[in-house]
Amino acid sequence: MDAKHILCYGDSNTWGCIGNWIETTVPSKRYDEQTRWPCVLQADLGENFRIVEEGLGGRSTIYTREGEEWKSGEMYLKPCLHSHRPLDLVIIMLGTNDLQINKSITEEDLPVGISRLVDIIQETPNVGRDQIVPKILIVAPIEIRPSAPEGRVLVYDKFRREIGRELSLKFPEVYEKVAQEKGCYFLNAALYAQPGPADGVHFTPESHVRLGHALAEYIKKNIYPEV
């Protein structure tokens, strides 16, 4: 039996970014393969599955910032799907960066970006195994919090402070509804992961591990119980 191919499409919390305590121009450091949630997922699922890590810091769903258009999840999704075909399952965890790129985003706008990404996948059946559209698991991003006083306090400002935080708390409700409407699977990352105190955005190491375990359990129980 061929291994099931699973694409993990996300932002810095899929890449495994370690939150910085100070502002710096040095590139972010990355958690190791024993910690990052896609790697934990791979270890739990075993040899019958192959996990593709596709995380990018600053990636949004559909929104762009001048000079960083390449960080749009919409722009890169289709070539990414074709690069890693055949795919059986796509896990999408995006939306956090929408809150800092689109300064006018409202609760009514929250489903727009994730819905567009789902549409792209569902309109591209030839990237799936045997030309069948890959299954899709939407993961709602975690909440945004203020950093610790000694951390990067300005990060909270970038997300419009309480406005961004309140919007981030709406992700589970909004994304679950999108999943139901579009026939996708759904998991709420906030049940297993929390932001660290350094910047209030990036996962703690324990969060990566918990989310990886939770996703593996969900996939084995709800998506591929026969594997």
Short mmCIF file of all heavy atoms in Angstrom, two decimals, residues 16-75:
data_model
loop_
_atom_site.label_atom_id
_atom_site.label_comp_id
_atom_site.label_asym_id
_atom_site.label_seq_id
_atom_site.Cartn_x
_atom_site.Cartn_y
_atom_site.Cartn_z
N GLY A 16 7.37 26.13 12.55
CA GLY A 16 8.00 25.81 13.83
C GLY A 16 8.80 26.95 14.42
O GLY A 16 9.80 26.72 15.12
N CYS A 17 8.37 28.18 14.19
CA CYS A 17 9.11 29.35 14.66
C CYS A 17 9.18 29.43 16.19
O CYS A 17 8.15 29.28 16.87
CB CYS A 17 8.46 30.61 14.12
SG CYS A 17 9.25 32.15 14.64
N ILE A 18 10.37 29.67 16.70
CA ILE A 18 10.56 29.93 18.12
C ILE A 18 10.41 31.44 18.33
O ILE A 18 11.16 32.23 17.77
CB ILE A 18 11.95 29.47 18.60
CG1 ILE A 18 12.11 27.96 18.38
CG2 ILE A 18 12.15 29.81 20.07
CD1 ILE A 18 13.50 27.44 18.69
N GLY A 19 9.46 31.84 19.14
CA GLY A 19 9.20 33.26 19.35
C GLY A 19 10.39 33.99 19.93
O GLY A 19 11.00 33.54 20.91
N ASN A 20 10.75 35.13 19.34
CA ASN A 20 11.86 35.95 19.83
C ASN A 20 11.40 36.85 20.98
O ASN A 20 10.31 37.40 20.95
CB ASN A 20 12.41 36.84 18.72
CG ASN A 20 13.26 36.07 17.73
OD1 ASN A 20 14.02 35.18 18.11
ND2 ASN A 20 13.12 36.39 16.45
N TRP A 21 12.25 37.02 21.95
CA TRP A 21 11.96 37.90 23.08
C TRP A 21 12.31 39.35 22.78
O TRP A 21 11.82 40.26 23.42
CB TRP A 21 12.73 37.43 24.33
CG TRP A 21 12.11 36.22 24.97
CD1 TRP A 21 12.34 34.91 24.67
CD2 TRP A 21 11.11 36.23 25.99
NE1 TRP A 21 11.57 34.10 25.46
CE2 TRP A 21 10.80 34.87 26.28
CE3 TRP A 21 10.45 37.23 26.71
CZ2 TRP A 21 9.87 34.50 27.24
CZ3 TRP A 21 9.52 36.86 27.67
CH2 TRP A 21 9.23 35.52 27.93
N ILE A 22 13.18 39.56 21.77
CA ILE A 22 13.60 40.92 21.43
C ILE A 22 13.47 41.12 19.92
O ILE A 22 13.51 40.16 19.14
CB ILE A 22 15.05 41.20 21.86
CG1 ILE A 22 16.02 40.21 21.18
CG2 ILE A 22 15.18 41.14 23.38
CD1 ILE A 22 17.49 40.54 21.42
N GLU A 23 13.31 42.37 19.51
CA GLU A 23 13.29 42.70 18.08
C GLU A 23 14.69 42.50 17.51
O GLU A 23 15.67 42.95 18.09
CB GLU A 23 12.83 44.14 17.87
CG GLU A 23 11.40 44.41 18.28
CD GLU A 23 10.38 43.70 17.40
OE1 GLU A 23 10.72 43.31 16.26
OE2 GLU A 23 9.25 43.53 17.87
N THR A 24 14.78 41.81 16.38
CA THR A 24 16.07 41.52 15.78
C THR A 24 15.92 41.33 14.28
O THR A 24 14.83 40.95 13.80
CB THR A 24 16.70 40.26 16.40
OG1 THR A 24 17.93 39.95 15.73
CG2 THR A 24 15.76 39.06 16.30
N THR A 25 16.98 41.58 13.55
CA THR A 25 16.98 41.33 12.11
C THR A 25 17.49 39.94 11.77
O THR A 25 17.47 39.53 10.61
CB THR A 25 17.85 42.37 11.39
OG1 THR A 25 19.19 42.32 11.93
CG2 THR A 25 17.30 43.78 11.58
N VAL A 26 17.93 39.22 12.80
CA VAL A 26 18.41 37.85 12.60
C VAL A 26 17.21 36.95 12.32
O VAL A 26 16.19 37.04 13.02
CB VAL A 26 19.19 37.35 13.83
CG1 VAL A 26 19.61 35.90 13.66
CG2 VAL A 26 20.39 38.25 14.09
N PRO A 27 17.29 36.07 11.32
CA PRO A 27 16.16 35.19 11.03
C PRO A 27 15.76 34.35 12.24
O PRO A 27 16.59 33.98 13.07
CB PRO A 27 16.70 34.30 9.90
CG PRO A 27 17.76 35.12 9.25
CD PRO A 27 18.40 35.90 10.35
N SER A 28 14.47 34.06 12.33
CA SER A 28 13.94 33.29 13.45
C SER A 28 14.55 31.90 13.50
O SER A 28 14.91 31.31 12.47
CB SER A 28 12.42 33.16 13.31
OG SER A 28 11.80 34.41 13.29
N LYS A 29 14.63 31.37 14.70
CA LYS A 29 15.07 29.99 14.88
C LYS A 29 13.86 29.06 14.86
O LYS A 29 12.73 29.48 15.09
CB LYS A 29 15.84 29.85 16.20
CG LYS A 29 17.16 30.58 16.20
CD LYS A 29 17.94 30.34 17.49
CE LYS A 29 19.28 31.06 17.46
NZ LYS A 29 20.07 30.84 18.71
N ARG A 30 14.16 27.77 14.62
CA ARG A 30 13.10 26.79 14.40
C ARG A 30 13.21 25.65 15.41
O ARG A 30 14.30 25.18 15.71
CB ARG A 30 13.25 26.23 12.97
CG ARG A 30 12.11 25.39 12.46
CD ARG A 30 12.43 24.90 11.07
NE ARG A 30 11.26 24.40 10.37
CZ ARG A 30 11.28 23.80 9.19
NH1 ARG A 30 12.45 23.64 8.57
NH2 ARG A 30 10.16 23.38 8.63
N TYR A 31 12.05 25.22 15.92
CA TYR A 31 12.05 24.06 16.80
C TYR A 31 12.56 22.83 16.05
O TYR A 31 12.44 22.74 14.82
CB TYR A 31 10.64 23.77 17.32
CG TYR A 31 10.15 24.77 18.33
CD1 TYR A 31 9.04 25.58 18.06
CD2 TYR A 31 10.77 24.91 19.57
CE1 TYR A 31 8.58 26.50 18.99
CE2 TYR A 31 10.31 25.82 20.51
CZ TYR A 31 9.22 26.61 20.22
OH TYR A 31 8.76 27.52 21.14
N ASP A 32 13.11 21.87 16.79
CA ASP A 32 13.68 20.68 16.16
C ASP A 32 12.59 19.69 15.74
O ASP A 32 11.40 19.90 15.98
CB ASP A 32 14.69 20.01 17.09
CG ASP A 32 14.08 19.58 18.41
OD1 ASP A 32 12.89 19.17 18.44
OD2 ASP A 32 14.78 19.64 19.44
N GLU A 33 13.01 18.60 15.11
CA GLU A 33 12.07 17.65 14.55
C GLU A 33 11.37 16.80 15.60
O GLU A 33 10.41 16.09 15.29
CB GLU A 33 12.78 16.75 13.53
CG GLU A 33 13.24 17.52 12.31
CD GLU A 33 13.86 16.63 11.24
OE1 GLU A 33 13.93 15.40 11.45
OE2 GLU A 33 14.26 17.17 10.19
N GLN A 34 11.84 16.84 16.84
CA GLN A 34 11.15 16.15 17.92
C GLN A 34 10.04 17.02 18.50
O GLN A 34 9.21 16.53 19.29
CB GLN A 34 12.13 15.77 19.04
CG GLN A 34 13.03 14.60 18.72
CD GLN A 34 14.05 14.92 17.64
OE1 GLN A 34 14.75 15.94 17.72
NE2 GLN A 34 14.13 14.09 16.62
N THR A 35 10.00 18.29 18.09
CA THR A 35 9.06 19.25 18.68
C THR A 35 8.00 19.73 17.69
O THR A 35 6.82 19.82 18.04
CB THR A 35 9.82 20.47 19.22
OG1 THR A 35 10.82 20.04 20.14
CG2 THR A 35 8.88 21.44 19.92
N ARG A 36 8.37 20.06 16.46
CA ARG A 36 7.43 20.64 15.50
C ARG A 36 6.22 19.74 15.30
O ARG A 36 6.37 18.53 15.10
CB ARG A 36 8.12 20.90 14.16
CG ARG A 36 9.27 21.87 14.23
CD ARG A 36 9.63 22.42 12.87
NE ARG A 36 9.99 21.44 11.88
CZ ARG A 36 11.21 20.96 11.68
NH1 ARG A 36 12.22 21.36 12.45
NH2 ARG A 36 11.45 20.09 10.72
N TRP A 37 5.05 20.33 15.28
CA TRP A 37 3.84 19.49 15.21
C TRP A 37 3.74 18.62 13.96
O TRP A 37 3.28 17.47 14.06
CB TRP A 37 2.57 20.33 15.44
CG TRP A 37 2.14 21.28 14.37
CD1 TRP A 37 2.29 22.62 14.34
CD2 TRP A 37 1.42 20.95 13.17
NE1 TRP A 37 1.74 23.17 13.21
CE2 TRP A 37 1.19 22.16 12.48
CE3 TRP A 37 0.94 19.76 12.61
CZ2 TRP A 37 0.50 22.22 11.26
CZ3 TRP A 37 0.27 19.80 11.39
CH2 TRP A 37 0.06 21.02 10.73
N PRO A 38 4.16 19.09 12.76
CA PRO A 38 4.09 18.16 11.63
C PRO A 38 5.01 16.95 11.80
O PRO A 38 4.69 15.84 11.34
CB PRO A 38 4.54 19.02 10.43
CG PRO A 38 4.26 20.43 10.85
CD PRO A 38 4.58 20.44 12.32
N CYS A 39 6.14 17.13 12.48
CA CYS A 39 7.07 16.03 12.72
C CYS A 39 6.50 15.06 13.77
O CYS A 39 6.66 13.84 13.66
CB CYS A 39 8.43 16.55 13.16
SG CYS A 39 9.26 17.58 11.94
N VAL A 40 5.87 15.61 14.80
CA VAL A 40 5.21 14.78 15.80
C VAL A 40 4.08 13.99 15.14
O VAL A 40 3.89 12.79 15.41
CB VAL A 40 4.66 15.64 16.95
CG1 VAL A 40 3.83 14.81 17.93
CG2 VAL A 40 5.81 16.33 17.69
N LEU A 41 3.35 14.65 14.25
CA LEU A 41 2.30 13.98 13.49
C LEU A 41 2.86 12.82 12.68
O LEU A 41 2.29 11.72 12.67
CB LEU A 41 1.62 15.01 12.58
CG LEU A 41 0.56 14.50 11.61
CD1 LEU A 41 -0.62 13.89 12.35
CD2 LEU A 41 0.08 15.65 10.70
N GLN A 42 3.97 13.06 11.99
CA GLN A 42 4.61 11.99 11.22
C GLN A 42 5.01 10.81 12.09
O GLN A 42 4.75 9.65 11.76
CB GLN A 42 5.84 12.54 10.51
CG GLN A 42 6.66 11.50 9.73
CD GLN A 42 5.93 10.99 8.50
OE1 GLN A 42 5.92 11.64 7.46
NE2 GLN A 42 5.31 9.81 8.60
N ALA A 43 5.62 11.10 13.24
CA ALA A 43 6.06 10.03 14.14
C ALA A 43 4.88 9.21 14.64
O ALA A 43 4.95 7.97 14.73
CB ALA A 43 6.84 10.62 15.31
N ASP A 44 3.78 9.88 14.96
CA ASP A 44 2.61 9.17 15.48
C ASP A 44 1.91 8.34 14.40
O ASP A 44 1.45 7.23 14.67
CB ASP A 44 1.60 10.17 16.06
CG ASP A 44 1.98 10.64 17.45
OD1 ASP A 44 3.10 10.32 17.91
OD2 ASP A 44 1.17 11.34 18.08
N LEU A 45 1.83 8.88 13.19
CA LEU A 45 1.12 8.17 12.13
C LEU A 45 1.93 7.02 11.56
O LEU A 45 1.38 6.01 11.10
CB LEU A 45 0.74 9.14 11.01
CG LEU A 45 -0.34 10.17 11.35
CD1 LEU A 45 -0.59 11.08 10.15
CD2 LEU A 45 -1.64 9.51 11.79
N GLY A 46 3.25 7.16 11.54
CA GLY A 46 4.11 6.06 11.10
C GLY A 46 4.32 5.98 9.61
O GLY A 46 3.99 6.89 8.84
N GLU A 47 4.85 4.84 9.19
CA GLU A 47 5.34 4.68 7.82
C GLU A 47 4.24 4.61 6.76
O GLU A 47 4.53 4.70 5.56
CB GLU A 47 6.20 3.42 7.73
CG GLU A 47 5.46 2.14 8.05
CD GLU A 47 6.37 0.93 8.04
OE1 GLU A 47 7.60 1.11 7.98
OE2 GLU A 47 5.84 -0.20 8.07
N ASN A 48 3.00 4.46 7.17
CA ASN A 48 1.91 4.44 6.19
C ASN A 48 1.48 5.84 5.76
O ASN A 48 0.55 5.99 4.97
CB ASN A 48 0.70 3.69 6.74
CG ASN A 48 0.96 2.19 6.85
OD1 ASN A 48 1.70 1.63 6.05
ND2 ASN A 48 0.37 1.56 7.84
N PHE A 49 2.16 6.85 6.29
CA PHE A 49 1.85 8.24 5.95
C PHE A 49 3.15 8.98 5.66
O PHE A 49 4.20 8.67 6.22
CB PHE A 49 1.13 8.93 7.10
CG PHE A 49 -0.24 8.38 7.39
CD1 PHE A 49 -0.39 7.25 8.19
CD2 PHE A 49 -1.38 8.97 6.87
CE1 PHE A 49 -1.64 6.73 8.46
CE2 PHE A 49 -2.63 8.46 7.13
CZ PHE A 49 -2.77 7.34 7.93
N ARG A 50 3.06 9.99 4.78
CA ARG A 50 4.20 10.86 4.52
C ARG A 50 3.75 12.31 4.67
O ARG A 50 2.85 12.76 3.95
CB ARG A 50 4.78 10.65 3.12
CG ARG A 50 6.05 11.48 2.88
CD ARG A 50 6.73 11.10 1.58
NE ARG A 50 5.98 11.53 0.41
CZ ARG A 50 6.01 12.75 -0.11
NH1 ARG A 50 6.75 13.69 0.46
NH2 ARG A 50 5.31 13.04 -1.19
N ILE A 51 4.34 13.00 5.63
CA ILE A 51 3.97 14.38 5.93
C ILE A 51 4.87 15.36 5.17
O ILE A 51 6.10 15.22 5.20
CB ILE A 51 4.07 14.66 7.44
CG1 ILE A 51 3.23 13.65 8.24
CG2 ILE A 51 3.65 16.10 7.75
CD1 ILE A 51 1.76 13.65 7.89
N VAL A 52 4.26 16.33 4.52
CA VAL A 52 4.99 17.39 3.85
C VAL A 52 4.81 18.67 4.67
O VAL A 52 3.70 19.17 4.83
CB VAL A 52 4.48 17.63 2.42
CG1 VAL A 52 5.23 18.79 1.77
CG2 VAL A 52 4.61 16.36 1.59
N GLU A 53 5.92 19.21 5.21
CA GLU A 53 5.88 20.46 5.97
C GLU A 53 5.93 21.64 5.01
O GLU A 53 6.90 21.79 4.26
CB GLU A 53 7.07 20.56 6.91
CG GLU A 53 7.10 19.55 8.04
CD GLU A 53 8.30 19.80 8.95
OE1 GLU A 53 9.36 19.23 8.67
OE2 GLU A 53 8.16 20.56 9.93
N GLU A 54 4.91 22.47 5.03
CA GLU A 54 4.89 23.65 4.16
C GLU A 54 4.42 24.86 4.97
O GLU A 54 3.31 25.35 4.82
CB GLU A 54 3.99 23.40 2.95
CG GLU A 54 3.94 24.52 1.94
CD GLU A 54 5.30 25.11 1.63
OE1 GLU A 54 6.14 24.41 1.03
OE2 GLU A 54 5.54 26.27 1.98
N GLY A 55 5.29 25.30 5.87
CA GLY A 55 5.01 26.47 6.68
C GLY A 55 5.88 27.63 6.25
O GLY A 55 7.04 27.44 5.90
N LEU A 56 5.33 28.83 6.28
CA LEU A 56 6.07 30.03 5.89
C LEU A 56 5.69 31.17 6.84
O LEU A 56 4.51 31.51 6.98
CB LEU A 56 5.72 30.43 4.45
CG LEU A 56 6.29 31.77 3.97
CD1 LEU A 56 7.81 31.72 3.90
CD2 LEU A 56 5.69 32.14 2.62
N GLY A 57 6.69 31.77 7.47
CA GLY A 57 6.44 32.89 8.36
C GLY A 57 5.79 34.05 7.63
O GLY A 57 6.24 34.44 6.55
N GLY A 58 4.73 34.60 8.21
CA GLY A 58 4.04 35.73 7.61
C GLY A 58 3.01 35.37 6.57
O GLY A 58 2.35 36.27 6.01
N ARG A 59 2.82 34.07 6.28
CA ARG A 59 1.86 33.69 5.25
C ARG A 59 0.43 33.99 5.70
O ARG A 59 0.03 33.69 6.81
CB ARG A 59 2.01 32.20 4.91
CG ARG A 59 0.98 31.71 3.88
CD ARG A 59 1.18 30.24 3.57
NE ARG A 59 2.28 30.05 2.61
CZ ARG A 59 3.01 28.94 2.55
NH1 ARG A 59 2.81 27.95 3.40
NH2 ARG A 59 3.98 28.84 1.65
N SER A 60 -0.34 34.60 4.81
CA SER A 60 -1.75 34.88 5.03
C SER A 60 -2.59 33.89 4.24
O SER A 60 -2.05 33.00 3.57
CB SER A 60 -2.08 36.31 4.56
OG SER A 60 -1.96 36.37 3.14
N THR A 61 -3.91 34.06 4.29
CA THR A 61 -4.75 33.26 3.41
C THR A 61 -4.72 33.86 2.00
O THR A 61 -4.21 33.26 1.07
CB THR A 61 -6.20 33.19 3.93
OG1 THR A 61 -6.73 34.52 4.10
CG2 THR A 61 -6.26 32.42 5.24
N ILE A 62 -5.22 35.08 1.87
CA ILE A 62 -5.34 35.70 0.54
C ILE A 62 -4.80 37.13 0.50
O ILE A 62 -4.72 37.72 -0.59
CB ILE A 62 -6.81 35.72 0.07
CG1 ILE A 62 -7.67 36.56 1.02
CG2 ILE A 62 -7.35 34.31 -0.07
CD1 ILE A 62 -9.10 36.76 0.56
N TYR A 63 -4.43 37.69 1.64
CA TYR A 63 -4.07 39.12 1.69
C TYR A 63 -2.58 39.32 1.44
O TYR A 63 -1.76 38.44 1.72
CB TYR A 63 -4.48 39.71 3.03
CG TYR A 63 -5.96 39.54 3.30
CD1 TYR A 63 -6.42 38.58 4.21
CD2 TYR A 63 -6.90 40.30 2.61
CE1 TYR A 63 -7.78 38.41 4.42
CE2 TYR A 63 -8.26 40.13 2.81
CZ TYR A 63 -8.69 39.17 3.72
OH TYR A 63 -10.04 39.00 3.92
N THR A 64 -2.24 40.50 0.90
CA THR A 64 -0.85 40.77 0.55
C THR A 64 -0.40 42.11 1.12
O THR A 64 -1.20 43.03 1.30
CB THR A 64 -0.64 40.79 -0.97
OG1 THR A 64 -1.47 41.81 -1.55
CG2 THR A 64 -0.98 39.45 -1.59
N ARG A 65 0.89 42.18 1.35
CA ARG A 65 1.55 43.43 1.75
C ARG A 65 2.56 43.74 0.65
O ARG A 65 3.22 42.84 0.13
CB ARG A 65 2.26 43.22 3.09
CG ARG A 65 2.99 44.44 3.60
CD ARG A 65 3.77 44.11 4.86
NE ARG A 65 2.90 43.98 6.03
CZ ARG A 65 2.80 42.90 6.79
NH1 ARG A 65 3.50 41.82 6.50
NH2 ARG A 65 2.02 42.89 7.85
N GLU A 66 2.66 45.02 0.28
CA GLU A 66 3.54 45.40 -0.83
C GLU A 66 4.96 44.90 -0.58
O GLU A 66 5.53 45.09 0.49
CB GLU A 66 3.55 46.92 -0.99
CG GLU A 66 4.34 47.38 -2.20
CD GLU A 66 4.26 48.88 -2.42
OE1 GLU A 66 3.54 49.56 -1.66
OE2 GLU A 66 4.94 49.37 -3.35
N GLY A 67 5.50 44.24 -1.57
CA GLY A 67 6.85 43.68 -1.49
C GLY A 67 6.89 42.27 -0.95
O GLY A 67 7.92 41.59 -1.03
N GLU A 68 5.78 41.80 -0.38
CA GLU A 68 5.72 40.44 0.17
C GLU A 68 4.51 39.68 -0.38
O GLU A 68 3.89 38.87 0.30
CB GLU A 68 5.65 40.49 1.69
CG GLU A 68 6.91 41.05 2.34
CD GLU A 68 6.88 40.95 3.86
OE1 GLU A 68 5.77 40.82 4.44
OE2 GLU A 68 7.96 40.98 4.47
N GLU A 69 4.21 39.95 -1.64
CA GLU A 69 3.05 39.29 -2.25
C GLU A 69 3.20 37.77 -2.25
O GLU A 69 2.21 37.04 -2.23
CB GLU A 69 2.87 39.79 -3.69
CG GLU A 69 2.41 41.23 -3.80
CD GLU A 69 3.51 42.26 -3.66
OE1 GLU A 69 4.70 41.85 -3.52
OE2 GLU A 69 3.21 43.47 -3.69
N TRP A 70 4.44 37.30 -2.25
CA TRP A 70 4.72 35.87 -2.29
C TRP A 70 4.33 35.16 -0.99
O TRP A 70 4.31 33.93 -0.93
CB TRP A 70 6.21 35.62 -2.57
CG TRP A 70 7.13 36.43 -1.72
CD1 TRP A 70 7.53 37.72 -1.93
CD2 TRP A 70 7.77 36.03 -0.51
NE1 TRP A 70 8.39 38.14 -0.93
CE2 TRP A 70 8.55 37.12 -0.05
CE3 TRP A 70 7.78 34.85 0.23
CZ2 TRP A 70 9.31 37.06 1.12
CZ3 TRP A 70 8.55 34.79 1.39
CH2 TRP A 70 9.30 35.88 1.83
N LYS A 71 3.97 35.93 0.03
CA LYS A 71 3.53 35.32 1.28
C LYS A 71 2.02 35.05 1.32
O LYS A 71 1.49 34.56 2.31
CB LYS A 71 3.92 36.21 2.48
CG LYS A 71 5.41 36.23 2.75
CD LYS A 71 5.74 36.99 4.02
CE LYS A 71 7.23 36.97 4.31
NZ LYS A 71 7.56 37.69 5.57
N SER A 72 1.36 35.35 0.23
CA SER A 72 -0.07 35.05 0.14
C SER A 72 -0.28 33.54 -0.03
O SER A 72 0.27 32.93 -0.95
CB SER A 72 -0.69 35.78 -1.05
OG SER A 72 -1.94 35.22 -1.39
N GLY A 73 -1.08 32.95 0.83
CA GLY A 73 -1.37 31.53 0.71
C GLY A 73 -2.07 31.20 -0.59
O GLY A 73 -1.88 30.13 -1.16
N GLU A 74 -2.88 32.12 -1.07
CA GLU A 74 -3.59 31.91 -2.33
C GLU A 74 -2.62 31.84 -3.50
O GLU A 74 -2.76 31.00 -4.39
CB GLU A 74 -4.60 33.03 -2.55
CG GLU A 74 -5.37 32.93 -3.85
CD GLU A 74 -6.34 34.08 -4.05
OE1 GLU A 74 -6.16 35.13 -3.40
OE2 GLU A 74 -7.26 33.93 -4.87
N MET A 75 -1.62 32.70 -3.50
CA MET A 75 -0.68 32.78 -4.62
C MET A 75 0.14 31.50 -4.77
O MET A 75 0.40 31.05 -5.89
CB MET A 75 0.25 33.98 -4.43
CG MET A 75 1.26 34.17 -5.55
SD MET A 75 2.26 35.67 -5.35
CE MET A 75 1.03 36.95 -5.56
#
